[in-house]
Amino acid sequence: KLPVQGGAQIVAFAGFMETTGFNSGEAKNIGLQRCATQAGEPGNYGVGFPTWIGKVADPEVRKRKLQAEIANGRLAMMAIIGMFFQDGLTGQ
């Protein structure tokens, strides 16, 4: 069970990140929402993540880090599929 203070902390953090952390670009209207990256690269909000660490300045280092992130995501997907298969096959 989630405590009330924990839920409030999650909502407060999400609200903080929505209002300050990821809206550094030029926002454009897209229907009822605003998008800071409509003309840019998907997922690149221009602030780095977490915001207080900053961006990766060198394009080659950034490319290598993005490729590592993609590879890690693919590995994680394969691992969870393997776990699903094992659970379905053995029930454990």
Side-chain angles (χ1 to χ4, degrees):
K1 185 171 166 139
L2 181 66
V4 175
Q5 292 88 358
Q9 184 179 12
I10 292 170
V11 170
F13 179 73
F16 173 74
M17 292 306 288
E18 284 288 327
T19 58
T20 62
F22 292 130
N23 193 15
S24 67
E26 179 184 338
K28 298 179 181 177
N29 292 325
I30 52 171
L32 299 174
Q33 300 176 348
R34 292 165 55 99
C35 179
T37 62
Q38 187 173 7
E41 177 186 18
N44 185 3
Y45 295 96
V47 294
F49 188 81
T51 306
W52 53 89
I53 292 176
K55 302 183 222 179
V56 178
D58 185 16
E60 284 300 316
V61 172
R62 183 173 184 276
K63 183 178 178 181
R64 187 173 47 98
K65 289 186 180 218
L66 288 173
Q67 292 297 325
E69 184 68 25
I70 290 170
N72 287 337
R74 290 177 178 157
L75 179 62
M77 287 187 284
M78 291 302 295
I80 196 70
I81 293 299
M83 290 176 63
F84 291 153
F85 185 76
Q86 176 190 5
D87 184 53
L89 189 64
T90 66
Q92 296 179 2

